[in-house]
Amino acid sequence: MLDRLSALEDRYEKLNDLLADPAIIKDTNQLREVSKEQSQLAPTVEVYRVYRDKMEAYQEARHMLTDPEMRDLAKEEVAVLEPEIKELETKLKALLLPKDPNDDKNVIVEIRGAAGGDEAALFAGDLFKMYSKFAEKQNWKIEIIDASYTELGGYKEIIFIVKGSGAYSKLKYENGAHRVQRVPSTESGGRIHTSTATVAVLPEAEDVEVEIHDKDVRVDTFTSSGPGGQSVNTTQSAVRVTHVPTGIVASCQDEKSQIKNKEKAMKVLRARVYDKIQREQQAEYDEKRKSAVGTGDRSERIRTYNFAQNRVTDHRIGLTIQKLDRILQGEMDEVIDTLVMEYQARASEAAN
């Protein structure tokens, strides 16, 4: 592991030199590639350097144990450094795991109200607000693609793009069924109801990753509609695109321009086709390997939001946090960071 980390540090330094090279600076494509690789290596190199410094201090402290005058101080330092080094080793093992090629991509998120009627749609709206506020804290941007509203202000369905560095790496674990337990505003008897909404997170696919030919796409136009079903405008600006070979459909009515709506709809279509291809490849791989670390099937209940107890429980990792109010305000770091660490640990175990 140390040899590999040393090689990565050498590569990191070389990339830093390249970023100062006038020839690289002039070449936009090369500059982008070098900058991307350098930023990907930076977290690993930073942890490795801290680890190396700690190990040097640890070895010095171990050496001082033979000195009667320094023994007590050395014992204290060894006791402090040992758990720190162990934690850094765990981090480094996780950082050296094969990187998900989609981690740095923008994501397309689809939220749908499921069981529970109007209350499920309202909960879908709460989830959208939660992700929107989390995205804002990460300095990401959100762009709505399509939305189907309810009269009470929720969403039967809302589809949006999250644009920002590392969006997929943090949001990919949100795939699945989210359950809410609370007293609906429409409930006069004060009874707690249980409703669900489903979340799908797809990495945005580039043209080079999934090729969709024009002859394989059927384009239909229709009139946009807004909350309550009223018409947004009278022109046929909304667009529905169908990938004929797979039957996958995507639509967009957020823009007034038919051209812009088609561009957005094609982004969703491309992501869904890419997702289908990836799932088929993963299923084939899982069948051969007979085991895999997943990220939560969309039909699986992954999380419960209990309003009465201000509690959020992630069932996949047994995590319970009494901070529902704050999590709904976008303070999701504790949940997401714990999920990332758990799945990295599982992947590390599977790799060994």
Side-chain angles (χ1 to χ4, degrees):
M1 183 179 79
L2 295 179
D3 288 342
R4 187 177 171 193
L5 288 166
S6 179
L8 289 177
E9 184 181 35
D10 290 343
R11 175 61 180 167
Y12 178 76
E13 290 299 336
K14 183 176 181 181
L15 290 168
N16 282 337
D17 291 340
L18 288 173
L19 288 172
D21 186 335
I24 298 294
I25 294 172
K26 289 179 182 178
D27 189 324
T28 306
N29 291 330
Q30 265 198 302
L31 180 62
R32 182 172 59 249
E33 290 299 317
V34 171
S35 297
K36 182 179 179 181
E37 186 181 354
Q38 189 257 13
S39 64
Q40 288 174 344
L41 288 179
T44 305
V45 172
E46 287 170 8
V47 175
Y48 170 55
R49 286 173 173 172
V50 173
Y51 171 79
R52 189 173 55 198
D53 291 343
K54 297 282 185 183
M55 280 299 298
E56 289 177 2
Y58 177 74
Q59 296 297 340
E60 289 178 9
R62 292 277 298 177
H63 180 71
M64 286 193 297
L65 288 173
T66 59
D67 186 341
E69 295 182 1
M70 302 296 292
R71 186 177 296 130
D72 290 342
L73 181 62
K75 281 182 179 178
E76 291 179 12
E77 190 163 1
V78 166
V80 170
L81 287 170
E82 281 183 341
E84 291 181 350
I85 288 171
K86 188 174 182 180
E87 183 180 349
L88 287 167
E89 285 176 345
T90 301
K91 284 184 179 179
L92 286 170
K93 286 177 182 178
L95 286 165
L96 288 174
L97 287 171
K99 188 176 174 62
D100 187 333
N102 293 320
D103 274 354
D104 292 326
K105 292 182 178 178
N106 299 332
V107 297
I108 293 173
V109 182
E110 305 176 358
I111 304 175
R112 295 179 177 85
D118 286 337
E119 172 62 10
L122 288 170
F123 179 49
D126 291 335
L127 290 176
F128 172 63
K129 290 175 186 174
M130 177 182 76
Y131 292 129
S132 297
K133 290 177 179 178
F134 177 66
E136 184 179 345
K137 294 178 188 295
Q138 305 298 313
N139 294 317
W140 297 338
K141 292 183 179 179
I142 278 188
E143 186 178 307
I144 294 176
I145 298 292
D146 200 15
S148 177
Y149 306 87
T150 64
E151 292 183 2
L152 294 179
Y155 296 101
K156 294 178 183 177
E157 174 186 78
I158 182 165
I159 302 170
F160 55 98
I161 296 179
V162 182
K163 296 182 176 181
S165 177
Y168 185 74
S169 69
K170 293 194 174 185
L171 293 177
K172 63 183 176 182
Y173 300 108
E174 296 303 296
N175 268 323
H178 296 240
R179 181 175 69 172
V180 62
Q181 295 173 325
R182 65 181 174 188
V183 179
S185 57
T186 54
E187 171 58 56
S188 57
R191 292 175 299 174
I192 293 177
H193 286 226
T194 298
S195 306
T196 58
T198 61
V199 176
V201 180
L202 314 178
E204 185 179 12
E206 303 294 335
D207 293 353
V208 294
E209 292 171 317
V210 53
E211 190 174 8
I212 296 180
H213 300 286
D214 290 342
K215 64 182 178 61
D216 292 332
V217 178
R218 185 176 72 245
V219 180
D220 301 303
T221 58
F222 56 99
T223 305
S224 301
S225 61
Q230 72 265 29
S231 176
V232 173
N233 57 57
T234 57
T235 61
Q236 300 280 310
S237 60
V239 173
R240 181 185 300 107
V241 291
T242 304
H243 186 239
V244 177
T246 61
I248 293 174
V249 179
S251 60
C252 179
Q253 59 176 340
D254 189 60
E255 301 284 351
K256 293 181 180 180
S257 163
Q258 187 182 111
I259 294 174
K260 289 183 179 179
N261 279 332
K262 183 184 176 183
E263 288 176 356
K264 286 187 175 183
M266 285 300 297
K267 283 186 179 181
V268 176
L269 185 72
R270 188 172 289 108
R272 288 178 178 171
V273 172
Y274 181 56
D275 181 62
K276 182 178 186 296
I277 293 170
Q278 280 197 312
R279 286 179 175 272
E280 288 172 350
Q281 291 174 344
Q282 185 65 41
E284 182 180 350
Y285 172 76
D286 291 350
E287 179 62 28
K288 291 178 181 177
R289 187 167 176 252
K290 297 299 181 184
S291 66
V293 177
T295 56
D297 188 87
R298 287 171 205 165
S299 62
E300 175 191 2
R301 187 192 71 199
I302 64 166
R303 195 175 296 148
T304 294
Y305 304 73
N306 186 299
F307 276 68
Q309 299 177 19
N310 195 36
R311 184 187 74 224
V312 172
T313 300
D314 195 289
H315 304 288
R316 295 164 294 179
I317 57 174
L319 175 69
T320 296
I321 303 175
Q322 308 287 150
K323 301 175 184 176
L324 171 60
D325 53 341
R326 290 165 59 180
I327 288 171
L328 289 177
Q329 292 301 311
E331 297 181 25
M332 299 179 65
D333 295 277
E334 186 174 351
V335 178
I336 289 176
D337 290 347
T338 306
L339 279 164
V340 170
M341 289 175 62
E342 175 64 22
Y343 280 105
Q344 283 179 339
R346 293 185 191 182
S348 182
E349 288 177 10
N352 294 331

